Amino acid sequence: MRQKQSIAAAFEKHSDQTKSEYWVRLNASVDVIKPFVLKRAPKNNKMTSSDIQKEIVTACKIETIKAIIEDLNGDYFALLVDESLDVSRKEKMSIILRYIDKKGSVMERFIGIVHVRDTSALSLKKAIVDVLVHHSLSLSSIRGQCYDGASNMQGYIKGLKKLIKQESRSAHSIHCFAHQLQLTFVAISKKCVQVGELVLLVSNILNVLGASFKRVDEF
């Protein structure tokens, strides 16, 4: 009967280069997670396993967000939200908190990206509430909202800012400065031939490279 081979025996069969590369990955992973605790870390050498790598990333995420919430310390915060399609054509929404820490510094901290079935204001609000509740936060603590100019965000009747302001009257809304800057660049590029040609050239290069993984590798 075929006997099961131990991890140690299998590891010894690899070349010195493979072993060296493994230890580099192992040490890098350990250095990253030293402040954290992996409660279910297995006692083997499968650090290249996708399951183990995902567990490490998840542990880092949990501990990082925990530190952010502790730094917020139940104080008021502003909400920064944006949504867009990812490469798999799924709608994703990113959530960022802006607050003043104990030292009086303005902090902006990313706390999550969630999949939303549609981009209606009601769906976005529900997803935001779910994330906040998961971290013991409330809409009533919001003192600012920052979105792009889309109607589902800034709509005066059914926009996200309106729905959240119904829950917290002090949640004042502003148009995202980054989006304003982007709109400014677009307007300038339409009036400047050289800028427009540069944008078109970059776009063509991206399209040519993106159509082939081999081209991307060569680039």
Side-chain angles (χ1 to χ4, degrees):
M1 295 177 65
R2 183 181 300 174
Q3 296 181 348
K4 292 184 177 179
Q5 193 176 42
S6 68
I7 297 295
F11 181 71
E12 287 300 325
K13 287 188 175 182
H14 292 297
S15 65
D16 291 339
Q17 181 179 355
T18 301
K19 294 178 184 178
S20 176
E21 292 174 352
Y22 165 79
W23 286 117
V24 169
R25 289 191 293 269
L26 174 61
N27 290 330
S29 299
V30 172
D31 288 341
V32 169
I33 63 172
K34 277 181 179 178
F36 311 130
V37 177
L38 286 176
K39 296 181 180 180
R40 296 187 296 109
K43 306 296 183 179
N44 58 30
N45 289 326
K46 292 178 60 180
M47 293 300 296
T48 57
S49 165
S50 60
D51 292 337
I52 302 304
Q53 291 175 352
K54 288 178 181 178
E55 185 175 340
I56 292 175
V57 172
T58 300
C60 292
K61 180 197 73 172
I62 292 173
E63 295 298 329
T64 299
I65 296 180
K66 180 181 177 181
I68 293 172
I69 300 303
E70 289 178 353
D71 189 42
L72 177 60
N73 195 31
D75 206 346
Y76 300 120
F77 59 90
L79 187 67
L80 289 75
V81 173
D82 194 16
E83 41 82 20
S84 63
L85 289 174
D86 64 9
V87 294
S88 63
R89 308 298 297 174
K90 291 184 178 180
E91 199 73 36
K92 298 294 181 66
M93 178 176 64
S94 57
I95 301 176
I96 298 173
L97 303 183
R98 177 187 288 156
Y99 60 93
I100 306 297
D101 68 3
K102 298 177 182 177
K103 298 180 181 179
S105 301
V106 178
M107 311 298 292
E108 286 189 3
R109 293 292 181 260
F110 172 80
I111 65 168
I113 183 167
V114 295
H115 170 58
V116 288
R117 294 185 178 276
D118 61 76
T119 58
S120 67
L122 286 173
S123 295
L124 298 181
K125 178 190 173 184
K126 182 181 183 304
I128 291 171
V129 170
D130 290 344
V131 172
L132 295 181
V133 169
H134 180 72
H135 299 300
S136 300
L137 300 176
S138 170
L139 290 179
S140 61
S141 297
I142 298 178
R143 290 297 181 268
Q145 305 179 67
C146 185
Y147 315 124
D148 61 20
S151 60
N152 63 335
M153 295 291 195
Q154 298 282 0
Y156 288 100
I157 300 178
K158 295 183 179 180
L160 179 61
K161 74 170 186 180
K162 180 67 175 180
L163 296 179
I164 289 183
K165 198 159 187 178
Q166 290 174 351
E167 303 284 343
S168 177
R169 295 183 178 180
S170 300
H172 301 288
S173 175
I174 63 171
H175 192 143
C176 174
F177 288 109
H179 188 250
Q180 291 185 49
L181 181 61
Q182 178 188 11
L183 296 177
T184 301
F185 283 149
V186 171
I188 292 175
S189 66
K190 291 180 178 179
K191 295 182 178 180
C192 180
V193 177
Q194 290 83 358
V195 173
E197 290 177 347
L198 175 61
V199 172
L200 179 61
L201 175 61
V202 173
S203 177
N204 289 336
I205 292 175
L206 290 176
N207 288 335
V208 171
L209 290 176
S212 169
F213 289 111
K214 292 183 179 179
R215 294 173 189 169
V216 174
D217 291 339
E218 289 296 326
F219 179 75

